[in-house]
Every structure is written in structure tokens, then in C-alpha cells.
Amino acid sequence: MPPDAPPTRSLLVIEDGHEYEEFARLFLADGFAIRAAHSAAEALARLTEAPADAFLVDLRFERSPVEHLIGDVDATARRRFAGDVHRAVRYLKEQQGTLVLGRVRQAGFDGPAVFVHDFAARRLANLRKLYGDVHAVPAFDAEAIRRALTGGAP
Amino acid sequence: MSPWQRLAHDVGKYVARAARNLPASGPVPAVLVGMLVDDLFALRDGQPASAVFAELRAELEERGEEPRLDAVEAHLVAIDALEEAVRRGEDGAVRAAAEHACAVEAELRALAEARA
């Protein structure tokens, strides 16, 4: 691509804070037009405005208020934590990125999704079974993330 | 997420966000120095990485685990000693602090993997 040409691919960053978006704007903006969302609802709203070619997704949404989380707190508490709602909320926050990605996939957006996380191989395989084109890069390695976002091996 | 994974994630991953992506040579752009300053000295709620590390280390100690984290702490002490020079954008200090940050990331990840 010529140096001044606008990026032709679009990236939706999904996170509870701003660290991923800052990273993307600094290291990935030459290849992607970047937008950001901070909840499942916001992600789907951004995608309704315009689709995205790829997704950079935070796994843990610890700073999100409970009302912004997706996932059934009571059902999770009953099923996994003997009715302990606090542990259920913590669990949903720690897994929120994968749940949001599930909603994105349900809405028909199937571009590469990259987590900056050190998933165990079995967990990553399961995520791929559930959500298709999913990649995990264990660190904020700009080149590895760029490769994964374009569908290559990180 | 185990306390070891939390250390690797909350401190290791984020402390190296800019550090591992500095240009190999030449001056480090100011915008990258700014991100590095945030990662090292305002990692969470304005707290430096060393303070976030100390908080999580204390949790491990409360659980009676043998932390073996002295090497990581030494890197973070070195980073704190470089703060003024890094904030001024002095290239040698920026690169030295970034090396320490990458070492923190690598060591915390290795510790988390060893306990997985």
C-alpha cells in the first residue's frame, strides 16, 4: 500500500478500557481503520453502522459495570458456583470477551478475532470450535497481532 | 484465573505493551515514550507497575505461597529509578526501562506457566 493511502480494512476493538484501542491506533492504524466498543451492545451498534473485517478483543472486562455485562448472572451462579452471585459476576467479567465475540458471531460477523491472551491450546481449540476464526497472541506484539488480524498465524 | 496468571496478565502483559514494540534503532518517538510512561508509571488507576506488582505479590504471600519474585521486583525497582529520565524522553533510559519491562513480562509469564 502506498504510504499515504487510507487503510482498506476495518478493525473493531472491543474492551472495557482504552489500552487496546491506544495500542491499535499506535501500531495498527497503517493497515486498519479503527473503531472501538466497550460492551456487546456497543459492538453490535458499531457493526450495524458499518461491518468490520477483524476484531481485537480483550478477554477480561473487570471495569465494566454489571449492567453492561452479557451472560445470565443468576443462572451462572446456580450452575457453576452453588448460587454465589459474586463469584458468578467475577466469572462473567473474566470471560466477557468470549461472550461478546459470541454475540458478534451470532450477528453474522465472522472476521478474524484476536485475543491478546495466553490461552492453553485446548481452550483455544474450543474457542475456534465455537467462534471460528479465533487467534491468541500472548503479548502485545504488534507484528504478531497484525498477522493474526489478517488471518495468518501469529 | 490464578494469582500467578493475574500477575502475568495485570503486570506482565501491560507493562510491556509499548516496551516490546520500540523501534529497533533510532530515537523513540514521543508518542511511544508517552505510552511507555503510562505502562510503567500509571499502570492501573495511576499506580506504577511496581505498586500493582506489590499488591498482587502480597496476595500471594497471604495465601502462603513462596513467591520467588525477587528478580521481577529488582527489574521494577530499576524501572522506578529511571522514571525521571524516561519522562524526559532520554533515549538510553527509555530503552533500558523497556528492557526491564520485557524481562518482567517474560519472567512473570514463565512463572505462571510453571504453575499452570
Side-chain angles (χ1 to χ4, degrees), chain A residues 19-20 22 60 116 140, chain B residues 6 9-10 13 17 21:
Chain A
E19 294 85 0
Y20 282 62
E22 286 175 354
R60 298 168 63 199
V116 183
F140 279 105
Chain B
R6 188 174 293 274
H9 178 275
D10 290 9
K13 185 173 105 176
R17 182 180 61 148
N21 295 292

Side-chain angles (χ1 to χ4, degrees), chain A residues 18-20 22-23 26-27 58 60 62 90 94 116-118 138-143, chain B residues 1 5-6 9-10 13-14 16-18 20-22 31-32 35 38 43 105 109 113:
Chain A
H18 55 272
E19 294 85 0
Y20 282 62
E22 286 175 354
F23 176 85
L26 197 48
F27 296 110
D58 192 5
R60 298 168 63 199
E62 291 200 326
R90 191 169 68 197
E94 290 191 346
V116 183
H117 194 82
D118 199 6
F140 279 105
D141 178 333
E143 284 312 308
Chain B
M1 183 173 274
Q5 289 171 321
R6 188 174 293 274
H9 178 275
D10 290 9
K13 185 173 105 176
Y14 286 99
R17 182 180 61 148
R20 59 163 39 251
N21 295 292
L22 298 190
V31 65
L32 248 176
M35 180 182 276
D38 286 347
L43 184 68
E105 180 190 42
R109 190 188 305 158
E113 283 173 2

Side-chain angles (χ1 to χ4, degrees), chain B:
Chain B
M1 183 173 274
S2 76
W4 292 100
Q5 289 171 321
R6 188 174 293 274
L7 259 177
H9 178 275
D10 290 9
V11 178
K13 185 173 105 176
Y14 286 99
V15 82
R17 182 180 61 148
R20 59 163 39 251
N21 295 292
L22 298 190
S25 59
V28 179
V31 65
L32 248 176
V33 173
M35 180 182 276
L36 183 69
V37 165
D38 286 347
D39 294 346
L40 302 182
F41 308 120
L43 184 68
R44 189 172 73 191
D45 301 331
Q47 288 185 302
S50 56
V52 179
F53 168 79
E55 190 181 301
L56 294 171
R57 180 181 192 167
E59 283 177 25
L60 275 172
E61 287 170 344
E62 281 169 20
R63 295 161 65 109
E65 299 205 28
E66 176 58 48
R68 290 171 48 194
L69 289 165
D70 290 346
V72 178
E73 183 178 36
H75 286 297
L76 290 164
V77 168
I79 287 170
D80 284 349
L82 291 164
E83 178 170 358
E84 287 184 19
V86 172
R87 286 186 183 277
R88 285 195 299 269
E90 291 177 18
D91 207 60
V94 166
R95 290 193 179 277
E99 277 185 31
H100 285 296
C102 290
V104 169
E105 180 190 42
E107 291 187 24
L108 289 177
R109 190 188 305 158
L111 286 166
E113 283 173 2
R115 285 159 177 78

Side-chain angles (χ1 to χ4, degrees), chain A residues 86-100:
Chain A
H86 294 295
R87 289 181 67 198
V89 168
R90 191 169 68 197
Y91 173 83
L92 290 176
K93 287 187 171 189
E94 290 191 346
Q95 308 303 325
Q96 191 65 194
T98 61
L99 299 175
V100 175

Side-chain angles (χ1 to χ4, degrees), chain A residues 117-130 134-136 138, chain B residues 5 113 116:
Chain A
H117 194 82
D118 199 6
F119 285 120
R122 204 167 125 188
R123 174 99 193 269
L124 181 59
N126 195 43
L127 288 172
R128 286 178 171 157
K129 200 184 297 180
L130 290 168
V134 177
H135 303 260
Chain B
Q5 289 171 321
E113 283 173 2

